[in-house]
Amino acid sequence: MSWMKEETVAKLLPDILHKRPNTYTLTKAFGEEILVREAVGLPCCVVRPSIIGATYSEPIPGWCTNLNGATGIIVGYGKGLLHTLHAHRNTKLDIIPVDFVVNGIIAAAWKTAHTHMGNKLVGKAIVTSQLPTTPAQEHGQVLVTEENDEVKKRRKEIPVYNLVTGTDNPVTLQEWNSIIINAFSDYPLDKVYSAPSVTLVSNKYLHRIVAFMVHNVPAGFFDLALMSVGKKPRLFRLARRMKLNIEVIQYFLTQHWDWKNDNVLRLRSEMTKSDQKEFDFNTRSISWKYYMDVYARGAKEFLLKEDVNGYPAARRHLRRLRILGYGLQIVLFITAWRLIVPRTLIAKNAWHLFISLWFKFIRFFQISSTVHPRSFFARLLSS
């Protein structure tokens, strides 16, 4: 399709994808179909990992080198570029460390070769020359289009290993949201634009409004400020790149699947204890808090090439941003309130009720003997 114009490809893409969310899943399906139809007589299996993330422990914890998949979104959290996601809170986001995937592939290859050798010894191996040749094969075509009985049989017999975490160690998007924010609060990146804070919005249209307000508007003002001092704008470009990264996995943020991993469990049970330890892909052993901590540190060191000794300065910068954010929220609240209160009787009454309750609250602690002399309220009231 390289000879086509981008506009032509964009028009044809929905018909090409049909019900698939993106070209990545489509090409994966093509690869599996070629195995079914063309790899006759060869020992083969299919390994289907979920969304691949940074390493858990091998070769080093948190190793990652690109912004593809979940890494781009996670870095967006850390840099303060991402503040809203169109996602369902209770949806399980299935992320698996890349070293678990590699170990699973090695184990699946061992099992496939072992099974193939066993079949050869008992005379059950399928020889390619024994199968009828189709017209497509005679003309040298790569993919056989005819669905003959042998193809149907192979489609059922080729083992499929679903390397997933959502079956045995599930994490919802709401839980991921908290884990990621906490990780980047403990291990902040350098020169973040704002404190990590993301709201999950399930309504698509409401999300678009919120995204415009918290992504595009601040980016526009920030870039205008840069241009006013003679610097190149960059935040709007970064926000647009973040949007493209999200679109790649957007489909998986609002959908739910229950994957079967019976073959994976069976595969692991057939391995020796030493092999299970050496080629570990047991997702039940994953600590998600630990994983996201090493993910945050790995993104800082290996992907963004930032100084890992700069955490004290990064934490001070993050605290200043949080104080600034709280201050802006208070200013906006007071400004909005002052605009509303003089115009509506309900707002006036609500304000007076709030003030009266606040004074009653203060008075209660003044006369209460339960207030410890060193407590926060005691110090506040005595000052």
Side-chain angles (χ1 to χ4, degrees), residues 38 131-146:
E38 299 298 320
L131 299 176
T133 304
T134 65
Q137 290 172 313
E138 290 177 353
H139 288 84
Q141 294 182 14
V142 176
L143 188 62
V144 180
T145 56
E146 290 81 0

Side-chain angles (χ1 to χ4, degrees), residues 89-115:
R89 296 171 181 268
N90 295 323
T91 295
K92 291 183 291 186
L93 183 61
D94 205 308
I95 297 177
I96 186 168
V98 63
D99 46 336
F100 277 58
V101 176
V102 172
N103 289 337
I105 291 173
I106 293 172
W110 162 79
K111 170 63 177 176
T112 303
H114 184 74
T115 303

Side-chain angles (χ1 to χ4, degrees), residues 36-179:
V36 170
R37 294 176 179 269
E38 299 298 320
V40 180
L42 297 177
C44 60
C45 65
V46 174
V47 178
R48 294 175 181 166
S50 56
I51 301 171
I52 299 176
T55 58
Y56 190 80
S57 59
E58 297 179 297
I60 43 179
W63 182 78
C64 55
T65 58
N66 60 64
L67 292 169
N68 296 335
T71 304
I73 294 179
I74 290 171
V75 171
Y77 267 83
K79 279 293 186 182
L81 295 171
L82 184 63
H83 294 289
T84 179
L85 272 175
H86 174 217
H88 296 160
R89 296 171 181 268
N90 295 323
T91 295
K92 291 183 291 186
L93 183 61
D94 205 308
I95 297 177
I96 186 168
V98 63
D99 46 336
F100 277 58
V101 176
V102 172
N103 289 337
I105 291 173
I106 293 172
W110 162 79
K111 170 63 177 176
T112 303
H114 184 74
T115 303
H116 184 74
M117 291 300 295
N119 288 340
K120 287 183 68 175
L121 290 175
V122 297
K124 293 183 179 180
I126 301 174
V127 182
T128 307
S129 59
Q130 295 176 349
L131 299 176
T133 304
T134 65
Q137 290 172 313
E138 290 177 353
H139 288 84
Q141 294 182 14
V142 176
L143 188 62
V144 180
T145 56
E146 290 81 0
E147 185 81 2
N148 56 39
D149 293 338
E150 184 59 38
V151 170
K152 293 178 181 178
K153 182 181 177 182
R154 282 175 53 76
R155 196 183 301 282
K156 295 179 180 179
E157 289 182 346
I158 292 180
V160 176
Y161 299 96
N162 292 321
L163 290 177
V164 295
T165 58
T167 304
D168 295 325
N169 197 354
V171 186
T172 65
L173 277 164
Q174 182 61 48
E175 292 169 332
W176 270 120
N177 193 43
S178 300
I179 292 171

Side-chain angles (χ1 to χ4, degrees), residues 311-382:
Y311 279 121
R315 292 187 182 107
R316 288 194 297 271
H317 177 66
L318 188 59
R319 280 196 297 269
R320 287 193 291 266
L321 286 176
R322 285 203 171 109
I323 293 171
L324 178 62
Y326 295 147
L328 288 174
Q329 290 176 21
I330 292 172
V331 170
L332 289 174
F333 174 77
I334 293 174
T335 302
W337 191 260
R338 293 300 299 168
L339 291 173
I340 295 172
V341 168
R343 288 171 171 76
T344 62
L345 181 61
I346 296 176
K348 285 182 179 180
N349 293 335
W351 175 252
H352 292 152
L353 177 62
F354 172 77
I355 294 297
S356 65
L357 290 174
W358 174 251
F359 278 111
K360 288 180 180 179
F361 177 76
I362 296 296
R363 193 176 300 113
F364 168 77
F365 278 99
Q366 282 179 329
I367 64 176
S368 175
S369 61
T370 60
V371 179
H372 193 277
R374 293 185 180 180
S375 69
F376 168 77
F377 287 108
R379 295 196 305 271
L380 178 65
L381 295 173
S382 62

